[in-house]
Every structure is written in C-alpha cells, then in structure tokens.
Amino acid sequence: ETGVTQTPRHLVMGMTNKKSLKCEQHLGHNAMYWYKQSAKKPLELMFVYSLEERVENNSVPSRFSPECPNSSHLFLHLHTLQPEDSALYLCASSQGGGRYETQYFGPGTRLLVL
Amino acid sequence: DQQVKQNSPSLSVQEGRISILNCDYTNSMFDYFLWYKKYPAEGPTFLISISSIKDKNEDGRFTVFLNKSAKHLSLHIVPSQPGDSAVYFCAATLFSQGGSEKLVFGKGTKLTVNP
C-alpha cells in the first residue's frame, strides 16, 4: 500500500451504533488530520495530531472521538451520531506538522447516518 | 463566514483552450495557498502551491497567480485536457494559536474539459 489509505470506504450506521473509521499513512509523516466534507460545504478541519499528540480540536462534538496510537495510524470513533453527521470524512497526513507543508489525503469514508 | 471563496461552482472549456479557476479570500493572515484536484471516489490530490511572497508559480501546464492586494488567486491550465476534468479546491493556510497549521478550503469548482 502506498500513500494514505482509509477504511471502510462506505459506512451506514444507525444513531445508536458505535463504529470506527481507520486511516493509515505509508509516507513516514508525523502529522495526521481528520476533515469532514458535507454536501455543498467546504472541507472542514476536525482534528490535528502531531507526533501522536492532539494539537487541534476544531470545536468538534464529543460524539466524534479521535485516537492516534502511532504516527502511522489515526482512528475516528463514532457514537450516537446524528443524521446531519452524514458526510465524507477525509484523513490526511503531512511531513511534520510545521509550516508550508503539503497535506496528502486518503480517498475518504462516505458515512450515512440513518 | 467563509474565508476562502470559489464563486464558480462549475466551469466548462474546450480541449486545448485555457481553463481559469478563481479563488478569493478574506483573511489577510493567510500566507500560503494551494490548489488541490479531486476526482470522484478519490481524495484531493495536491496540484500546485504559492507562497505569499510570490505572485506567480508555474509547473508545466499549471500556473497559479496571486494578487495579494485584491486577495485573489487563480489557477490557469493551458492547454486543458479531458483528463483535467475534476473538482478543483483552493486552500489557504493559517497558523493557529494551538501551534498547528490549518488548511482552509473553498467549496470547489467542477471543471469539465470537453474533447
């Protein structure tokens, strides 16, 4: 595998379910990100991890819980979501979380909450 | 309030002609700008970037122009090819108080290049 991978690619869940999204980067990067893209809206940054520490939480509700066990893996744990949380969730990584870095994106997980 | 705006949701051009995608921003603290391209069912892929100390950056068929006084940047693709058909996102970076760099995206412009 190369680049940034995300699983699953599609997910349908009920409001009472608990599920997790997984992201893995094979680029040797030290920073990882979660973004959300809702219909007709720009990509919105959710969380930033640098060297496995969360350095940014962009006012995301607590029903989204990120986890970064090492610099290659990032999870987004989901519980008691709402239908308005249906969106494309994108993971990205960059070299070291510094300035003027290019972020590389995974293909995304398309989430539908019923 | 949207800080990065792409006012044209779609653009259609003929193969071989120039495609010009526009982007406006409101935050004068942005100092690095990027263009990403996204095909269906794939994540955005980095295309080209420009620092605020420059007004032009060129990479093959792609050129980005930055007009800081107007808070405007544009991406020129010449000549356009059918494989360029995708959604193009403009993004700007901001160094947050938390010590990390944030990418702020526009909504995207869907480019269609007709053969």
Side-chain angles (χ1 to χ4, degrees):
Chain A
E1 289 277 20
T2 57
V4 181
T5 58
Q6 289 186 244
T7 55
R9 295 294 308 274
H10 301 271
L11 179 63
V12 180
M13 61 187 288
M15 289 191 283
T16 57
N17 290 159
K18 286 185 182 180
K19 297 285 184 184
S20 295
L21 310 185
K22 179 183 174 183
C23 174
E24 185 172 359
Q25 58 94 2
H26 310 266
L27 300 168
H29 288 167
N30 290 313
M32 296 187 78
Y33 311 77
W34 278 117
Y35 286 86
K36 173 184 177 182
Q37 186 178 25
S38 305
K40 300 191 192 302
K41 286 188 176 181
L43 274 79
E44 298 172 89
L45 180 66
M46 299 175 73
F47 301 104
V48 180
Y49 276 82
S50 180
L51 296 171
E52 299 142 48
E53 277 195 38
R54 192 191 311 178
V55 296
E56 185 87 28
N57 177 344
N58 216 28
S59 304
V60 180
S62 58
R63 56 186 184 269
F64 295 91
S65 174
E67 179 192 0
C68 187
N70 55 62
S71 59
S72 299
H73 293 87
L74 184 65
F75 294 90
L76 188 63
H77 304 298
L78 316 170
H79 63 98
T80 59
L81 293 194
Q82 304 297 311
E84 59 264 29
D85 296 321
S86 299
L88 179 68
Y89 289 85
L90 288 157
C91 172
S93 70
S94 68
Q95 188 72 40
R99 299 284 353 246
Y100 313 128
E101 292 186 348
T102 298
Q103 292 182 22
Y104 295 86
F105 285 82
T109 295
R110 187 156 294 282
L111 173 68
L112 177 61
V113 181
L114 300 175
Chain B
D1 186 32
Q2 231 184 308
Q3 298 186 74
V4 177
K5 298 178 186 178
Q6 293 177 258
N7 291 319
S8 298
S10 63
L11 175 68
S12 186
V13 300
Q14 209 59 33
E15 182 178 4
R17 306 294 286 267
I18 185 170
S19 296
I20 300 177
L21 297 113
N22 293 304
C23 178
D24 297 292
Y25 61 95
T26 57
N27 192 334
S28 56
M29 298 299 291
F30 290 143
D31 60 356
Y32 189 60
F33 303 88
L34 306 92
W35 285 93
Y36 281 82
K37 173 171 144 177
K38 185 180 184 301
Y39 292 117
E42 294 183 14
T45 54
F46 170 72
L47 194 56
I48 192 169
S49 62
I50 188 167
S51 162
S52 60
I53 62 172
K54 292 187 173 182
D55 55 17
K56 177 181 172 182
N57 189 25
E58 195 171 346
D59 183 3
R61 296 185 297 114
F62 303 91
T63 303
V64 57
F65 294 92
L66 175 63
N67 182 335
K68 279 197 301 182
S69 60
K71 295 193 180 69
H72 177 84
L73 64 155
S74 61
L75 174 68
H76 292 212
I77 307 173
V78 55
S80 302
Q81 299 173 355
D84 296 328
S85 298
V87 178
Y88 289 78
F89 293 97
C90 171
T93 67
L94 191 63
F95 204 60
S96 73
Q97 289 180 338
S100 64
E101 190 166 74
K102 296 175 64 166
L103 266 182
V104 181
F105 282 86
K107 289 186 181 180
T109 296
K110 183 178 181 181
L111 173 67
T112 303
V113 180
N114 301 303

